[in-house]
Amino acid sequence: MSRQLSSLFVVLSLFFVDGAAAVRAAPGDGVLAGRAVTHDGAPAAGASVRVVGTTRAATVDADGRFELAPLPAGRYVVEAASPRFGRAVESVELLAGERLEITLELHLLVHGESVTVTASPDPRAAAEIARPVSVLEGDDLLVALEPSLGETLADQPGVSSTYFGPGASRPVIRGLGGDRIRVLDNGLGIGDVSSTSPDHAVGVEPLGSERIEIVRGPATLLYGSSAVGGVVNVLDGSIPDFLPEAPVIGSVTLRGGSVADERAGAAAFDGRLGRLAWHLSASKRQTEDHEIPGFAESRYQRAADEDEHEEEEGEEHEEEEEAFGILPNSAIESESGRFGLSWVGDAGFLGVSVSGFDTLYGVPGHAHEHGEEEHGHGEGEEEAEHEEHEEEEGPVRVDLEQRRVDLRGEIARELGIFRGLKVRIGSYDYQHVELEGDEVGTRFDTDGWEARLEARHRPLGRMSGAWGVQLGRREFVAVGEEAFVPANDTESLALFLFEEIEAGALTWQLGARWEENDLGVEVAELPDRSFSGLSGSLGLVWRMTDAFSSSLSVARSVTAPNPEALYSDGMHVATRTYEIGDPTLGEEVSLGADLGFRYEGERLRAAASFFWNRVDDFVVEAFSGEEQEGADVVRFGATDAELHGFELAAHIGLWHRASSHLELDLDYDLVRGEDRITGDPLPRIPPASYGAGLSYRGDRWFASADWRRVQRQDRLAPFETPTDAYSMIDAAVGYRLFAGRTVHDLILAGKNLTDEEGRVHASYLKDLAPLPGRDLRLSYRLTF
């Protein structure tokens, strides 16, 4: 960490601790109090109630009462939660000096209302946001967990993945992936190199997360030009922002799976000591090679291999045994740990955390590549030497290590025209080596930092919001055989604002962001580049009734090309391509619109989102039809593009009795991407998918059964191969046992129960690595 960044840590620490400690209840502060009750009106004793995004939290007493004070005047989201009684969410408006009494009715709903801390400066219910948001938490997250972030989220509306085997997968949102999707670790950039190449894992273990939020569509105003396609925020509570009521609370999770002999476990503990709140968590996962339903190679790849052998008839070939039933080199080992400590005052908090994530995983598909290279060699000594090298090289694996130090603080007090400040600072040191057998082939090193300061201003008439600044630095070095990108560094600076104007049932949301990115490259023949641009958005949320709302947003976003698009030049072994960048690329400029409808009734909850995005100078990574060093050439270039589509979801209550609920879930999503110059489809666009499911939740039992259909993708870019349609059936059943203050959950889940072959169209490995076969999982979670 640089000396300047360390000094900033110290200065902010003194300021926030002093400010949070000095503030006491002011004459204008109010009190939020009331009752938390169950579905039949009984006290929800023991439930936790908190004002999301503040330090205010309380435990419901035996009479169902709670009180949260002092609180400055403003809009808040109040959340009550209990493993025994369920959950309740309510948005409230607290006036200056008011004592506001509310009643929170907790329900064990299958799909309750979501609260997001990612889509706006202040926490909001999903229905209050102009852009579509999904939140994965609780039992839903536990059942959905996969070894990679991309596969954990792949069944969410509008989301696919870059699936590069079980160990590496990044989210694709509405057909956009890579550096157009910002992955956050508790609100800051994750600091890995997963956007550099799909074989690079995201530097976070989903097993250790508490909740994951997905913002679909442009989020550049708050998170920068690399969020033009959306944001995924992984939240784990490693920096506490409130004081727990009990000295120690926590959870322990154990899991085993059949498809790869998975053994996994995670533990998280939170506690308090006076004004200090602490967090400690760890996770570990180990798998063998994954089982697959049939051949590792697709029928299109096998046909291409047969054609190649026929063309080379007469030449001698060593017949390779095709992988069947097992995906070779797909084993995973990973572990993570975090420790956080916060000082929590009456008007704010300041905390710091240290964390680490290590993983060692195989990169499938290289045996096929080596076989193809064998065909290109002549007979004799050169071929023998090549084959000897192949035998010595062994499978390609990635050994990844990341370390982070994060600081986060918030203070709610009057500071001139401002009513509060939020700060986040993160410093990361990332490295991974790509092992060829036991030999180091390529080493990637990235270190940097990011800082973000938001200042919420006092209401200006009907307008409220926040202004902010974000800055960061990233240094990247790759050394070795796969160092197809030269060493480079990036410095960024951004100023942004986000405002809301309430006018009765209408809420206007508007914002702007100016951002500058300076890229330096350590190759004399290549130019340094500097990019700057102004992005803006305007959104409207219309609460037509208590149950029905609609939203419309329009955004103009400016996105700078990343160093990989500008400077790549070399063989990329993992993707079996030779990549060539274009150092003359300019900024992408996109104009997009989102239209959304949401209904929240007693028996029906439904949402529909329609989107359209028109992009000038869209940077595309496409096959050129050329070959270099025995590999297909992929060139980065610019074109004009258009993407459009929709996401539909409905949850229909079929049966409700007391605390038992049965729901039918339906969803459909579609995205189309087209090159406006050539008329060709854009490459690696996911096909349409739709699904249906039944979900039951009661006091102790819950169960679900889901069917998902992914359509055939035959709208292809030049030199792209199709993927066949497939259907997946998943199911889960769980039982909850209460023993005093301790809760035991036992969950049996099945994934891909029909052992169907499925291939991800957005993956470079779609013809070499199918999705895993049938998997039976048993999970146990202890909460206290």
Side-chain angles (χ1 to χ4, degrees), residues 22 109 125 194 227 318 398 456 477 635 643:
L109 295 176
S194 61
E318 180 180 341
V398 173
R456 290 170 291 168
V477 176
R635 289 186 178 272
L643 297 100

Side-chain angles (χ1 to χ4, degrees), residues 645-661:
F646 59 84
E647 298 123 14
L648 308 175
H651 309 293
I652 304 168
L654 301 178
W655 181 63
H656 290 270
R657 179 178 296 175
S659 60
S660 297
H661 306 274

Side-chain angles (χ1 to χ4, degrees), residues 272-533:
R272 62 177 297 174
L273 184 62
R275 283 290 187 177
L276 293 177
W278 56 267
H279 172 92
L280 178 64
S281 61
S283 69
K284 186 175 179 63
R285 185 194 303 270
Q286 185 171 350
T287 77
E288 306 300 330
D289 286 344
H290 286 60
E291 296 178 1
I292 54 177
F295 288 102
E297 292 185 3
S298 70
R299 62 189 180 100
Y300 303 105
Q301 185 66 56
R302 297 200 304 275
D305 291 346
E306 290 175 4
D307 291 342
E308 182 179 350
H309 290 170
E310 289 177 2
E311 291 175 2
E312 298 173 347
E313 187 175 356
E315 299 182 16
E316 293 185 7
H317 300 287
E318 180 180 341
E319 292 295 330
E320 293 186 12
E321 183 179 352
E322 295 185 50
F324 183 89
I326 294 289
L327 183 62
N329 195 33
S330 57
I332 304 167
E333 295 180 19
S334 67
E335 56 186 15
S336 67
R338 291 179 181 260
F339 174 72
L341 187 67
S342 295
W343 188 93
V344 182
D346 290 332
F349 74 95
L350 181 73
V352 63
S353 71
V354 293
S355 62
F357 173 60
D358 297 343
T359 183
L360 173 66
Y361 61 92
V363 179
H366 284 268
H368 179 272
E369 175 194 5
H370 296 158
E372 285 189 333
E373 290 177 354
E374 272 187 5
H375 302 327
H377 281 269
E379 299 178 359
E381 183 178 347
E382 182 180 293
E383 184 179 33
E385 290 176 356
H386 176 76
E387 291 178 352
E388 182 180 351
H389 172 71
E390 293 288 331
E391 292 176 2
E392 292 176 354
E393 184 181 84
V396 176
R397 296 172 298 156
V398 173
D399 190 356
L400 182 157
E401 179 182 292
Q402 177 165 286
R403 301 292 181 263
R404 289 184 64 101
V405 179
D406 289 273
L407 178 143
R408 177 171 164 242
E410 182 173 352
I411 184 169
R413 69 167 178 172
E414 303 293 336
L415 301 167
I417 66 169
F418 298 108
R419 63 182 179 91
L421 294 175
K422 293 182 180 180
V423 64
R424 288 185 173 92
I425 303 174
S427 174
Y428 55 86
D429 184 358
Y430 170 99
Q431 67 178 26
H432 86 240
V433 295
E434 299 190 351
L435 302 171
E436 300 172 358
D438 294 325
E439 300 295 323
V440 175
T442 309
R443 183 187 187 96
F444 293 81
D445 288 284
T446 299
D447 62 79
W449 57 271
E450 183 178 341
R452 179 184 180 90
L453 178 67
E454 294 178 20
R456 290 170 291 168
H457 62 74
R458 291 181 178 180
L460 304 174
R462 293 182 174 180
M463 184 169 69
S464 62
W467 306 335
V469 59
Q470 183 173 335
L471 60 160
R473 179 180 176 85
R474 171 184 182 263
E475 296 179 355
F476 171 85
V477 176
V479 179
E481 179 184 350
E482 197 181 330
F484 59 95
V485 181
N488 61 81
D489 61 84
T490 304
E491 294 183 352
S492 61
L493 171 65
L495 304 174
F496 62 90
L497 62 86
F498 183 94
E499 300 290 347
E500 287 187 339
I501 302 173
E502 292 198 13
L506 301 178
T507 300
W508 294 90
Q509 297 176 347
L510 61 150
R513 181 185 182 98
W514 173 84
E515 182 172 338
E516 182 176 54
N517 291 280
D518 297 320
L519 281 70
V521 60
E522 296 183 10
V523 176
E525 295 79 9
L526 294 175
D528 295 340
R529 299 295 306 276
S530 181
F531 303 94
S532 62

